[in-house]
Amino acid sequence: MKKLVPSVAIAAMLAVSSLPAQAGSPWVVENTTTKEECSACHMAYPAGFLPERSWRAIMGNLTDHFGEDASLGDAARTEITNYLVALAPKELRNVSPIAVPLRISELRWFRGEHGARRIAQARNDSRIGSISNCAACHRGAERGNFDD
Ligand code: HEC
Ligand code: HEC
């Protein structure tokens, strides 16, 4: 049977600090504003994959967002920032406490788990476009399922 939320396994693999238990799932984007505003160009990435400071950095520079302008009004930006930060771990395994990674796909566990060859294949496959397109391979990604 497919489990919908692999959070325990993934959290154990990724997070050093514990994840908040009550504010919602760090693996499924449940906040409507985040879901709407952050899925126009890619799936809305769940908070658990990046440390708190990374979300703050991303949300603080939306006009220059990986080469795109993803800017938002103040209200939406504040709501999304608060939502992501509340669910994000303070620290991630193998990420220096002073590093501020802006991509999930550049984290060490991610590169190890996916491998250089698969990352290159994703880039060269026009149906996928890039390894950042999680949902192209993980059909259950938007439900928090990265097991297949
Ligand atoms: C206007 C289009 C657009 C919008 C809207 C947008 N993004 Fe992005 N985002 C991008 C592009 C382009 C990339 C780079 C994708 C790639 O390299 O394939 C990206 C990448 C990312 C990454 C890194 C993915 C990785 O490789 O690990 C994160 C995290 C991210 N976006 C968060 C957000 C958040 C949070 C929001 C909502 C506030 C958002 N994005 C809204 C265009 C957008
Ligand atoms: C090109 C297809 C592809 C893309 C795109 C992709 N993945 Fe994966 N991912 C895989 C495969 C295949 C595995 C299993 C690797 C293995 O076990 O050999 C995997 C494994 C994982 C795992 C470990 C699952 C577990 O239960 O151990 C996580 C978490 C994950 N991916 C998250 C992501 C995220 C987040 C993104 C987007 C930023 C992403 N993946 C993009 C194919 C992909």
Side-chain angles (χ1 to χ4, degrees):
M1 203 184 90
K2 300 243 167 68
K3 43 188 170 68
L4 289 183
V5 179
S7 48
V8 177
I10 295 183
M13 174 170 86
L14 303 183
V16 171
S17 55
S18 61
L19 292 155
Q22 284 172 7
S25 167
W27 309 110
V28 182
V29 176
E30 290 162 323
N31 174 268
T32 307
T33 308
T34 308
K35 227 187 309 192
E36 283 171 3
E37 301 293 353
C38 301
S39 66
C41 308
H42 48 67
M43 75 166 230
Y45 299 111
F49 284 117
L50 287 172
E52 216 182 273
R53 59 186 177 280
S54 294
W55 292 118
R56 287 193 200 283
I58 290 168
M59 295 305 296
N61 190 16
L62 288 175
T63 50
D64 182 13
H65 180 76
F66 304 93
E68 304 264 344
D69 183 351
S71 52
L72 293 169
D74 284 348
R77 189 166 44 79
T78 303
E79 180 182 345
I80 294 168
T81 306
N82 291 345
Y83 168 73
L84 291 169
V85 162
L87 289 173
K90 289 222 182 312
E91 299 300 337
L92 282 185
R93 229 175 267 293
N94 293 323
V95 175
S96 152
I98 55 166
V100 187
L102 299 179
R103 284 180 180 268
I104 303 159
S105 61
E106 280 173 359
L107 298 175
R108 193 188 298 175
W109 75 264
F110 186 99
R111 302 192 75 83
E113 186 77 40
H114 293 84
R117 183 181 303 161
R118 187 174 285 124
I119 291 171
Q121 272 167 0
R123 189 166 45 236
N124 295 329
D125 184 336
S126 59
R127 292 162 304 176
I128 301 176
S130 118
I131 198 70
S132 308
N133 186 5
C134 323
C137 302
H138 298 286
R139 302 284 171 194
E142 282 165 31
R143 298 187 310 275
N145 184 354
F146 292 88
D147 282 359
D148 54 13

